């Protein structure tokens, strides 16, 4: 049964000002599962007003109290984790194991930043000249606009909401139109545990770009935190420049995975399967191109082919499936086009390469003989497609790995000392050595080059929502 879902502004769930709605689609069968309210310019401005009006009071709320509210949200999400995961599956299409994994990961940001809220650092010292005391305080930056993608609709939202709220910032959350229900559920949890009206708001504007720009250009908005494509990130940075708004950006990735001659193949195959197939490959951290030393190439391909063939692709609510649907038929068709282009260039289709007529499914796929620099190695695939490039020299592998405008994530498998040496040469904000996953709420997440600005998670995450204030006081003997 299709249900109606609304915007959340100033503590109240309400329809959009024009009464318009858009469909939320289940990618597994393309059915409409909800009709979500479309936010007008008036709705977006009301959200900014609500956040601005609540900012002073929320900033003055004791850090312990802010932290306890985040901890309460964590407890609710823990108790309701299966309901949480089901919402993710229904609108995103991912497998049950991926959804439950995301739900558990997402709620951990509330627990982590509940603890960080009371540990914001400052500084107090005598100046070198001895004439004054130097006091450095950190204060909330102000109203924060948080824009999240569809591939991790829960985790990308909590990774922004939790530090913003812990820091004392009020927020406006704009989720992706493909996955607004997950965001709405989390916002409702925050309302249930007692987060005051105006502190968290949710809007889904249309047209998106112009209305997001209007919100950024409101003087009350002092922070943008965006996760999405590098192309959109560039546009948003131009908008932020007009009002000199602080911007944190987690943008595109094109992660290389290097298999060195001394790699333990058991560890490598297990890690590569995680690095590529987690979330059906729809992750900015996904291994997008795999460089395998010639001496290990055939063994790697044979073993990976067997692993991929053993994965069951199907609806996420069927918990026996390990790979779910892509988020839309458009995404499915984009992946199919990349594979077809690679094959036309001479790549060999070893496994998979088929789309489903029923739902937005694409088979797990493995390509060999891929040319470095081809479209499939320079585009985020965002699907369950493993591309293999053979190399002969480690220096060549490092050069190819760094031959990209992106620098979010990289993977290295090999004898530990050599792998660590290679990791230090890779131009990436994060490197996994002999493992397929790095994400952790306690670690700083972010990239270099055109993969972003700033860090999320860890002790750095809350600092993105704080500004330093220096106070000088005359020193008295």
């Amino acid at each position: 049964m299709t249900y109606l879902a609304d915007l959340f502004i100033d503590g109240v769930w309400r329809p959009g000002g024009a009464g318009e709605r858009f469909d939320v689609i289940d990618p597994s069968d393309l059915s409409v599962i909800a009709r979500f309210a479309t936010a007008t310019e008036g709705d977006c401005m009301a959200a900014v007003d609500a956040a601005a009006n609540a900012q002073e009071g929320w900033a003055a709320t004791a850090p312990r109290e802010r932290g306890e509210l985040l901890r309460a949200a964590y407890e609710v999400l823990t108790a309701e984790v299966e309901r949480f995961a089901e919402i993710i599956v229904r609108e995103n299409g991912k497998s049950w194991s991926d959804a439950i994994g995301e739900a558990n990961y997402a709620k951990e940001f509330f627990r982590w930043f509940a603890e960080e809220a009371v540990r914001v650092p400052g500084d107090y010292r005598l100046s070198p000249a001895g004439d004054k005391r130097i006091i450095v305080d950190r204060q909330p930056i102000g109203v924060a606009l948080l824009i999240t993608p569809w591939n991790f609709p829960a985790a990308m939202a909590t990774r922004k909401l939790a530090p913003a709220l812990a820091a004392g910032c009020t927020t406006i959350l704009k989720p992706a139109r493909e996955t607004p229900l997950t965001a709405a559920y989390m916002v409702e949890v925050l309302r249930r545990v007692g987060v005051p009206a105006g502190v968290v708001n949710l809007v889904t504007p249309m047209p998106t770009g112009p209305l997001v720009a209007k919100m950024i250009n409101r003087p009350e908005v002092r922070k943008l935190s965006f996760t999405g494509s590098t192309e959109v990130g560039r546009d948003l940075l131009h908008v932020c420049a007009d009002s000199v708004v602080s911007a944190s950006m987690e943008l595109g990735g094109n992660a290389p995975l290097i298999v060195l001659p001394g790699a333990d193949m058991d560890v490598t195959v297990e890690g590569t399967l995680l690095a590529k197939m987690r979330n059906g490959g729809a992750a900015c951290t996904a291994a997008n191109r795999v460089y395998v030393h010639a001496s290990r190439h055939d063994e790697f391909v044979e073993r990976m082919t067997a692993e991929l063939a053993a994965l069951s692709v199907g609806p996420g609510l069927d918990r026996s499936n390990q790979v779910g649907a892509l988020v839309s038929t458009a995404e499915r068709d984009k992946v199919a086009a990349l594979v077809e282009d690679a094959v036309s260039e001479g790549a060999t289709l070893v496994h998979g390469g088929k789309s489903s007529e029923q739902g937005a499914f694409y088979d797990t796929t493995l390509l060999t003989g891929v040319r470095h620099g081809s479209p499939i190695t320079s585009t985020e695939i965002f699907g369950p497609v493993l591309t293999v490039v053979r190399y002969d020299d480690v220096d060549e592998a490092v050069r190819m790995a760094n031959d990209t405008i992106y620098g979010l994530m990289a993977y290295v498998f090999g004898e530990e000392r050599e792998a660590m040496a290679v990791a230090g040469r890779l131009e990436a904000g994060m490197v996994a050595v002999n493992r397929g996953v790095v994400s952790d709420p306690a670690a700083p997440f972010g990239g270099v080059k055109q993969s972003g600005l700033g860090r999320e998670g860890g002790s750095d995450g809350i600092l993105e929502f704080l500004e330093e204030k220096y106070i000088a006081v005359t020193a008295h003997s």
Side-chain angles (χ1 to χ4, degrees):
M1 177 179 175
T2 303
Y3 72 97
L4 305 182
D6 290 334
L7 313 174
F8 189 73
I9 300 173
D10 204 13
V12 177
W13 291 103
R14 69 188 217 190
E20 297 178 356
R21 295 184 178 273
F22 60 91
D23 293 341
V24 181
I25 306 296
D26 181 340
S28 70
D29 61 10
L30 309 183
S31 64
V32 176
I33 57 174
R35 304 206 71 237
F36 208 96
T38 299
T40 63
E41 180 177 347
D43 297 321
C44 292
M45 296 304 103
V48 174
D49 290 339
N53 291 335
Q55 178 57 49
E56 184 177 355
W58 184 243
T61 301
R64 177 69 70 191
E65 185 177 343
R66 297 198 298 260
E68 290 300 326
L69 288 169
L70 293 177
R71 177 70 192 207
Y74 164 80
E75 298 292 351
V76 171
L77 292 174
T78 298
E80 299 180 5
V81 69
E82 293 221 348
R83 177 187 176 192
F84 192 10
E86 182 174 346
I87 295 169
I88 296 171
V89 171
R90 291 293 306 280
E91 65 176 354
N92 172 274
K94 66 181 65 179
S95 70
W96 179 261
S97 60
D98 281 333
I100 202 77
E102 181 184 356
N104 282 314
Y105 176 50
K107 65 188 178 65
E108 284 295 331
F109 284 102
F110 283 137
R111 178 157 69 165
W112 173 260
F113 285 107
E115 298 163 351
E116 290 295 289
V118 299
R119 294 185 175 87
V120 173
D123 192 14
Y124 176 82
R125 52 194 161 87
L126 183 66
S127 69
D131 63 326
K132 59 185 172 296
R133 302 288 178 179
I134 295 173
I135 301 169
V136 181
D137 191 16
R138 286 188 170 92
Q139 299 178 338
I141 195 169
V143 175
L145 175 60
L146 315 175
I147 302 178
T148 57
W150 51 259
N151 61 325
F152 286 98
M156 298 304 95
T158 59
R159 200 160 72 186
K160 299 178 188 302
L161 279 168
L165 297 177
C169 296
T170 58
T171 61
I172 304 156
L173 177 62
K174 193 217 80 67
R177 290 174 67 84
E178 292 88 348
T179 55
L181 303 179
T182 302
Y185 167 69
M186 292 186 294
V187 167
E188 173 61 12
V189 167
L190 290 168
R191 186 200 67 79
R192 284 163 56 191
V193 300
V195 172
V199 172
V200 177
N201 303 274
L202 184 151
V203 294
T204 48
M206 181 56 72
T208 303
L211 293 186
V212 163
K214 286 180 181 292
M215 287 190 282
I216 293 172
N217 286 327
R218 283 283 299 268
E220 299 91 342
V221 174
R222 299 310 307 147
K223 181 70 184 184
L224 170 67
S225 181
F226 170 76
T227 297
S229 72
T230 295
E231 293 74 20
V232 174
R234 292 190 196 107
D235 291 340
L236 289 173
L237 283 171
H238 281 290
V239 176
C240 287
D242 290 338
S243 302
V244 195
V245 170
S246 171
S248 298
M249 297 270 162
E250 197 267 280
L251 305 177
N254 185 13
L257 186 153
I258 299 176
V259 180
L260 297 171
D264 180 317
M265 196 53 68
D266 290 338
V267 172
T268 300
V269 169
E270 179 183 1
T272 302
L273 201 64
L274 271 174
K276 177 69 258 186
M277 293 298 158
R278 186 171 71 100
N279 215 49
C284 54
T285 55
N288 209 55
R289 49 211 168 100
V290 180
Y291 299 100
V292 184
H293 191 268
S295 66
R296 310 304 302 275
H297 178 274
D298 292 352
E299 179 188 5
F300 176 83
V301 169
E302 180 180 355
R303 293 190 57 175
M304 284 305 305
T305 300
E307 292 289 342
L308 294 178
L311 294 177
S312 175
V313 179
L317 292 180
D318 180 344
R319 302 188 187 189
S320 67
N321 292 320
Q322 292 103 350
V323 179
L326 280 72
V327 76
S328 67
T329 55
E331 281 295 308
R332 178 199 66 194
D333 295 345
K334 183 202 81 174
V335 171
L338 284 169
V339 171
E340 290 167 7
D341 179 75
V343 171
S344 72
E345 280 201 356
T348 299
L349 180 62
V350 177
H351 171 76
K354 296 179 181 177
S355 296
S356 169
E357 295 297 325
Q358 306 296 323
F361 296 100
Y362 194 82
D363 281 353
T364 58
T365 298
L366 191 148
L367 296 167
T368 61
V370 176
R371 178 180 64 83
H372 170 74
S374 62
I376 203 165
T377 67
S378 54
T379 304
E380 272 194 299
I381 300 169
F382 253 54
V385 178
L386 186 69
T387 62
V388 179
V389 179
R390 184 195 301 254
Y391 74 90
D392 295 305
D393 179 75
V394 172
D395 288 339
E396 177 193 9
V398 172
R399 179 192 63 77
M400 291 189 293
N402 290 335
D403 183 24
T404 174
I405 64 171
Y406 303 105
L408 182 63
M409 183 73 211
Y411 302 85
V412 185
F413 289 87
E415 184 276 323
E416 189 168 293
R417 182 172 296 183
E418 184 181 18
M420 287 294 290
V422 170
R425 298 171 62 191
L426 295 176
E427 297 169 356
M430 301 173 289
V431 182
V433 174
N434 291 328
R435 58 180 295 118
V437 178
V438 298
S439 298
D440 191 305
F445 186 104
V448 299
K449 299 197 283 191
Q450 293 191 36
S451 282
L453 301 169
R455 293 295 183 268
E456 295 185 310
S459 299
D460 301 77
I462 196 169
L463 300 181
E464 296 287 333
F465 295 92
L466 295 164
E467 288 187 309
E468 286 189 339
K469 176 178 283 187
Y470 160 46
I471 302 172
V473 180
T474 300
H476 298 285
S477 58

